[in-house]
Amino acid sequence: DQQVKQNSPSLSVQEGRISILNCDYTNSMFDYFLWYKKYPAEGPTFLISISSIKDKNEDGRFTVFLNKSAKHLSLHIVPSQPGDSAVYFCAAAYNTDKLIFGTGTRLQVFP
Amino acid sequence: NAGVTQTPKFQVLKTGQSMTLQCAQDMNHNSMYWYRQDPGMGLRLIYYSASEGTTDKGEVPNGYNVSRLNKREFSLRLESAAPSQTSVYFCASSVITGRSQPQHFGDGTRLSIL
């Protein structure tokens, strides 16, 4: 049973526009959420995180929104750049401190 | 600034062969992790080590053993490789074990079992 779901396997966005990547979870015990970015032939790189006591966290062009009632989080990238083209994984954790990863969304930013 | 280094990058094994995947980090991190990534699935935790001398099972530990040799190194061993273990393996480390602590990943080992 997939506890963390990224239902869109891919997303294509024009350079300069907003990219919105979505993630849904089923376990209401999750209290910490992270986004990782992965380029081909490299390991995932930590991007941004959010605690369940917040509903928004911002870091430069990246903003993560958390809607606990809907068990949904999203990553907004504004403006999108070609270098943002990568696979994005969301991950969730609760008191076991183990991360549960989603299946990833491949973002392509075109000129 | 090597970060997390995994060796080898690629390996092909025959069913039943054994192999050890090596991982070393130079960031003085206490916690280390082994994940596998399969097509259409997220990364799944195999084993982790919260500190030197301790190891714990993750989500998919069957068929694997680990060894935390020292603070820097955390190896993953397949005693008798099976085709179901064909995957990309990632090692990661973090300052401490904790969901608020970002994990730093190596570039992966692509393993094929024939």
Side-chain angles (χ1 to χ4, degrees):
Chain A
D1 182 32
Q2 194 75 21
Q3 297 187 68
V4 178
K5 301 176 185 179
Q6 293 178 258
N7 292 318
S8 298
S10 64
L11 175 68
S12 188
V13 172
Q14 189 172 31
E15 181 178 4
R17 305 293 289 265
I18 184 172
S19 295
I20 300 176
L21 296 99
N22 294 304
C23 181
D24 297 296
Y25 60 96
T26 57
N27 190 339
S28 59
M29 297 297 292
F30 287 141
D31 62 357
Y32 208 85
F33 304 89
L34 305 91
W35 284 94
Y36 283 84
K37 173 181 179 180
K38 184 183 180 304
Y39 292 118
E42 295 184 9
T45 303
F46 170 72
L47 197 55
I48 192 170
S49 62
I50 187 168
S51 165
S52 61
I53 62 173
K54 295 184 175 181
D55 55 16
K56 176 182 174 181
N57 189 27
E58 191 172 355
D59 184 2
R61 296 186 297 114
F62 303 91
T63 302
V64 57
F65 294 92
L66 176 62
N67 182 335
K68 290 186 289 294
S69 61
K71 296 191 181 66
H72 176 84
L73 68 155
S74 61
L75 174 68
H76 293 210
I77 306 174
V78 183
S80 300
Q81 299 174 354
D84 296 329
S85 297
V87 177
Y88 290 79
F89 292 96
C90 67
Y94 58 110
N95 60 4
T96 63
D97 292 332
K98 294 179 184 129
L99 295 181
I100 307 297
F101 283 84
T103 54
T105 296
R106 182 178 303 277
L107 172 66
Q108 182 181 6
V109 180
F110 60 92
Chain B
N1 285 346
V4 178
T5 303
Q6 293 183 235
T7 55
K9 294 190 184 305
F10 304 94
Q11 185 71 47
V12 179
L13 294 177
K14 294 181 180 179
T15 297
Q17 287 185 314
S18 62
M19 174 170 189
T20 300
L21 308 186
Q22 306 287 354
C23 175
Q25 51 92 8
D26 62 2
M27 296 174 283
N28 202 34
H29 285 171
N30 291 303
S31 302
M32 298 185 74
Y33 313 81
W34 275 106
Y35 291 89
R36 60 178 287 175
Q37 184 192 11
D38 301 299
M41 303 188 75
L43 283 78
R44 292 182 294 168
L45 183 64
I46 304 171
Y47 271 95
Y48 72 103
S49 169
S51 61
E52 183 180 350
T54 68
T55 60
D56 284 288
K57 294 179 180 179
E59 185 182 354
V60 288
N62 291 343
Y64 305 94
N65 287 302
V66 290
S67 179
R68 184 75 183 266
L69 304 170
N70 47 56
K71 191 172 186 178
R72 289 187 64 248
E73 297 172 293
F74 188 38
S75 62
L76 178 72
R77 182 161 178 85
L78 288 71
E79 291 291 352
S80 179
S84 62
Q85 294 177 305
T86 293
S87 189
V88 181
Y89 291 84
F90 289 100
C91 177
S93 71
S94 62
V95 173
I96 59 172
T97 297
R99 53 199 178 277
S100 64
Q101 298 298 319
Q103 296 177 16
H104 299 260
F105 285 81
D107 288 340
T109 295
R110 187 175 297 275
L111 184 61
S112 295
I113 317 294
L114 304 179

